[in-house]
Every structure is written in structure tokens, then in C-alpha cells.
Amino acid sequence: MPDASHAAPRHLDVAIVGGGLAGLYAIHRLRKMGLKVRAYEQGSGIGGTWFWNRYPGARCDVESLEYSYSFDEQLQQDWKWPERYGTQPEILRYINHVADRFDLRRDVQLNTRIRSAVFDDKANEWTLTTKDGETIKARYCIMAAGNLSTPRVPDFKGIHDFKGKWYHTGLWPHEGVDFTGLRVGVIGTGSSGVQMIPIIAQQAKQLTVFQRTANFSLPARNGPMTPDREGPHKAEYAQRRAAAMETPFAIGGHPKPTKKTLEVPPEERARIYEEKWKQGGSISYLYSFTDLLVSKEANDTASEFARDKIRSIVKDKRTAELLAPKDHPIGTKRLCLDTNYYETYNRPNVALVDVRSDPIKELTPKGLRLESGAEYEFDAICFATGFDAMTGALNEIDIRTSGGAVLRKHWEGGPLTYLGLMVAGFPNMFIVTGPGSPSVKTQMIASIEQHVDWIADAIDHLGKHQLDRIEPTPRAEHDWVAHVNAVADSTLYPLANSWYVGANIPGKPRVFMPYVGGFDRYKKRCDEIAATGYEGFTLSQHTGVTA
Ligand code: NAP
């Protein structure tokens, strides 16, 4: 590998960190404005989440016709999704198609990890340094590094002593893994675990699932894309996209509920839940009534219906009770979507172990041992143990300013942002779907497009007014964070120990990170702020100004 540390720095208008769905769209959007841009991607290929998460069964839980770019009508008309929900290989194929179609690859630098980003107050520019020592100077920096891109393997004692193979869902080998005839352990029952468990169970000789917290999972009801689903959707794609913007999750096609749960008699309620269960998908279920995420009493009815479904599917009573979540209201942790997840526990080669009552103590050369001393032997262990969500990717980069601000310090007590888009004290650094924005609570590509468009418009505004610096005021940041928390506190979300509050990472400050006020409300606020001259931001001219 050539030593890049002595080469002259590359000069850009905008440096982008990340070559996933956000980074790629940012290249497209900003290049159209005549800006010199380049994205830096640590992977050996583009695609972000969909490049790394290649575990068996990996699939999006938002329908393909929704979970796709909307910025080009011909693209959305041309692309044919083979199934209702896209698989990881299909989505990665789509992303690669988009990169080729819009000639994006020439501005992506692969195998490049950004180690630090330092803002020079005098020069009014960011200097990014890669792991290999290359430096990049840019007026603006866009962090498009993802919300769930820092895989987390618990630091179990003995992990390096295990003689079998171990894998993390977010770092899955490209060549795939054949579990045929093997004794396999899966740790973790979030969205990733719930998707991979039914597939591994079909291959493995014996599958043992270690569950700490039961999660609610709803049937996806996946299937081939049918002409009667695709045809009408594509016939009015633009209107459907616009309608999605008016919803809290940025997902269209689901009539908004009109009634409160307890206004409806129990038999009618059960009929509605049953219909939604048959229909599949999480939005449809959460849209049964208006108050499922704000009233515990209301939520109890939806939670109990789902628990009863689990009890009716899983034959072994003890296993069914373990799988039926009781520690959080349905929807307050990310809902899983599955195909045959609960049914899998009826297979003779699958066992569920409760590691809430008897935690994993350590890995051993042959497998793992619980606190009680119980031992399990495996040929392979799969960690479906999640990510350092929302802040992990940015905290891995040493982000600071010449004035002495350090992002890791600024975020010591939890992430502080204005609109999830910018951080006070860090001028000209934008975040795509950062903490404090609706991001993970929405159809992510819609949120990505909304953020990149807002950022592009802001940069355009600065240019048109001979300005070259934007940063939020500390006051605006403070008020926004307070608003994000107040909105979360008015819902049931804080009742769950989830990665939304950093609960999955020991020692991580417990702060509610996504904005749960709804995509529609959020977008309106962002648009108003831009239209009124960027209220809450300081815009100024710096380059060439001497003190
Ligand atoms: P996750 O939801 O954070 O789940 C991690 C699992 O590992 C949890 O069950 C957790 O238990 C368990 N775990 C962690 N440390 C453990 C330990 N020391 N001992 C035992 N169990 C432990 O992670 P994920 O499943 O990868 O999903 C993360 C997010 O990615 C999802 O919520 C979703 O937003 C996204 N995702 C989406 C899709 C999709 O679109 N279909 C698929 C996969 C992922 P606790 O709950 O007790 O901490």
C-alpha cells in the first residue's frame, strides 16, 4: 500500500464520510450543483448497511416499493423488485445499479477509513485524515456514516479461546457460511437474530438461541411482487411518495387511524388486530389505533394480542412464555418482522435458552458457559448482538476544531444536535440522519433524501449570499434537544431498554436519541427554518477575513 501521508492534500468543496445510501445520494445531489465532492468509504464496496449485513435471511422490513430512492422518476419506474420486501443481495444490486446509472463511483474512494476530522477556524475548512495518512481539505463535511454501522460484540471473557468459528451479523463473510450439519449458537433476538434464526435452523444439526430480552415480532407476509401490487403503485409513484412525506414514518399506503383503542369494543378490537396480523408489517399493526404508542392501557391490548399469537404458534408452553415479551410495550423497541420465526421453535433441532435469568459468563474453547455453570458446545457462534447505534460511527472518528471543541466530549452526556443535522461549535459539518432526527423511526431512504436535500439547499443558500459558514447556536441546539426529549417523554418509548436510549451499550449515557415527533412534523420544521433564513443557525462569511 503506498504511503499517502506525504502526498499533497486533496481539495474539495464537500467531503463525505460514507458510501452507503446517504453518501451516494449526496454525491449525486451536490455534483449537480457544480461542487467538487468525494465520498470516503471504509468498505471494499459501496452500500453501507447492505454491504456489511450479509447474514442469512437479511432483508429490509420496509416494503421495496417504499424503501428505494425517490429522486428520479425513471429510476423508480425502471427498477423491478422481485419481492414485497427486498433481500440484502437485491438491495445491494439496486444500490450498485444506481451508482452506475448516475456515474457515482468515480467520486467514491473505497477501503478508506476516516480517522480524524479537524476544523480550522482561520482557514474555515475541514481537514480529514484517513487511516493511511491521506489528507483531504474541504469547506464542508458531511457525515453519512450510518446509524447502525458500528457492530458490537459483547466483551465476553474467553472469546479468543473459542476454537470454532464466530461471526457478527454486521460483519458477515462475503462468501457466506454453510451451517449444514453444525451445532450452532445464536446470541441475540433483535431484528437480525429474528431474521437469521429460521434460516440457520434449516441447515444446522442443532441450533441453540440465547435470548436475554424477548422482542415482539410480526409476520412480514413476504411474497413475490405481484402485478396488482406493483402496477397501481408505479402508476402513481410521485403522488405516493408525496403522501408518504405527510406521515410520521415517511411510509405511505396505510390509512391513518382515527379511533382510540378503548373507544372500540373488545371484539371489534380483536378483529382489527387479527386483520392487521394477517396483512403483515409493522406500520399496519401500529396504525390500528391512534394511541398505541402513548397510552399504556391501550398498548396493553395490542401487546397481549401479539403475546397470544406467540402462545398459539409455539407448542412448548415454557418456550412460548419465554418468547412472549412482557418487559416493554409493543412498538417501543424496534418491532421485528419475520418469516416463520416463532414456528422455528417447534423444530426438534432448535432450543431456546433464557440468558436473562442465567447470563452468559464466558466463551470456552468448545462453546460457552452460563453463570450457573451450564455448558454448551458449538461448531459456530453467531453474534446478533447489535450496534453502537446512532453515535458509534461518529464517536469512532476524532472530530475536533482548532478552537478546542471535541465532539466526543461535547457528546459525553449524550448526543447534542440541532435538528439532528448540525452540532453547535462544529461549523460546516452536517450529519445525515443524526441523533435528534427521525432517522431510524422512518423509512430511512426518505429521511436520507430529506436531509441531503436540506443540506444541499443550505450550501446553495450560503453560496448565493457570499457566505461560507453555517453553525447552530448553542441555544437552538439546547432547545432542540429539550424538545426531542419532551416529545419522547410524552410517549411510551422511554419505557423500553432499547438501543434508542443506548441501553445496549454498557456505560453509554441513557438519552433518547431519535426524534419521535414524526417525519411529517419534522420535515415541516426543517422547511420552515430554511424558509425563514435558517433560524437557530449563524450564517457568516469567513474565508479571506483576517483578524
Ligand atoms: P439489536 O436489536 O440491538 O439486538 C441485539 C440483541 O442481542 C438483543 O436481543 C440483545 O438483548 C442481545 N444481546 C446483546 N448483548 C447481549 C449479551 N451480552 N448477552 C445476551 N444477549 C445480548 O440488534 P439487531 O438485531 O442487529 O438490530 C439492530 C437494528 O438494526 C434493528 O433494531 C433495526 O433497526 C436494524 N435492522 C433492521 C433490519 C430490517 O430492516 N429487517 C434487520 C436487522 C437490523 P437485549 O435486548 O437484552 O439487549
Side-chain angles (χ1 to χ4, degrees), residues 102-419:
F102 297 97
D103 187 23
L104 305 178
R105 285 185 207 278
R106 66 184 156 91
D107 287 319
V108 183
Q109 185 167 318
L110 299 173
N111 300 305
T112 307
R113 193 183 174 87
I114 298 296
R115 200 184 54 204
S116 66
V118 181
F119 182 73
D120 180 335
D121 194 56
K122 260 202 185 139
N124 194 40
E125 90 188 335
W126 281 94
T127 301
L128 277 65
T129 306
T130 71
K131 199 165 151 273
D132 296 325
E134 183 186 351
T135 53
I136 302 116
K137 292 187 179 287
R139 169 66 31 80
Y140 301 102
C141 173
I142 298 183
M143 296 298 179
N147 286 301
L148 293 155
S149 48
T150 312
R152 181 188 163 266
V153 176
D155 53 356
F156 290 127
K157 202 174 126 207
I159 193 159
H160 299 294
D161 301 333
F162 177 55
K163 296 272 187 282
K165 292 250 165 70
W166 65 263
Y167 311 93
H168 186 283
T169 53
L171 292 168
W172 204 261
H174 286 201
E175 62 280 12
V177 184
D178 182 5
F179 292 106
T180 307
L182 302 184
R183 299 161 305 165
V184 183
V186 169
I187 303 173
T189 52
S191 300
S192 306
V194 160
Q195 286 186 330
M196 76 197 285
I197 286 164
I199 312 281
I200 296 180
Q202 289 168 26
Q203 297 177 355
K205 182 163 106 192
Q206 172 67 36
L207 170 63
T208 309
V209 177
F210 295 89
Q211 173 187 275
R212 188 165 64 185
T213 311
N215 267 317
F216 285 102
S217 185
L218 302 175
R221 309 279 179 223
N222 186 38
M225 181 66 71
T226 53
D228 62 330
R229 189 179 287 279
E230 186 184 27
H233 202 110
K234 286 195 169 174
E236 46 181 46
Y237 227 142
Q239 296 92 305
R240 289 204 184 214
R241 295 286 196 193
M245 302 287 100
E246 301 299 321
T247 70
F249 303 107
I251 297 176
H254 301 277
K256 276 192 185 167
T258 52
K259 287 191 182 152
K260 286 189 171 175
T261 313
L262 301 179
E263 279 171 18
V264 174
E267 317 76 59
E268 173 65 2
R269 253 188 342 242
R271 192 196 59 73
I272 291 171
Y273 290 142
E274 184 66 42
E275 189 186 305
K276 305 281 189 162
W277 186 273
K278 285 212 175 94
Q279 205 176 327
S282 51
I283 304 297
S284 124
Y285 196 74
L286 293 176
Y287 260 20
S288 297
F289 301 104
T290 55
D291 53 352
L292 286 182
L293 291 173
V294 291
S295 156
K296 175 77 169 57
E297 219 184 339
N299 187 291
D300 283 346
T301 66
S303 295
E304 191 56 14
F305 181 89
R307 282 191 287 266
D308 280 344
K309 280 288 178 196
I310 300 167
R311 291 173 183 126
S312 73
I313 298 168
V314 181
K315 293 191 179 123
D316 178 69
K317 279 199 162 34
R318 192 178 158 273
T319 306
E321 267 332 297
L322 275 179
L323 287 168
K326 294 168 196 98
D327 75 330
H328 65 279
I330 191 166
T332 55
K333 283 181 94 160
R334 169 70 173 228
L335 264 171
C336 305
L337 282 200
D338 74 90
T339 301
N340 293 332
Y341 176 62
Y342 294 115
E343 289 82 350
T344 296
Y345 291 94
N346 293 332
R347 295 176 64 103
N349 67 331
V350 177
L352 181 69
V353 175
D354 172 24
V355 291
R356 165 78 55 204
S357 60
D358 190 1
I360 297 168
K361 182 177 178 212
E362 60 195 347
L363 263 64
T364 64
K366 288 186 174 174
L368 61 78
R369 187 178 292 125
L370 305 184
E371 292 284 356
S372 65
E375 287 195 51
Y376 296 83
E377 292 190 4
F378 296 116
D379 303 303
I381 296 178
C382 303
F383 290 95
T385 44
F387 301 84
D388 184 354
M390 307 207 71
T391 52
L394 290 199
N395 278 335
E396 278 195 345
I397 305 171
D398 183 10
I399 301 174
R400 54 181 71 224
T401 71
S402 58
V406 178
L407 189 73
R408 284 178 197 145
K409 258 202 200 143
H410 191 66
W411 283 8
E412 228 162 34
L416 306 172
T417 70
Y418 182 33
L419 301 168

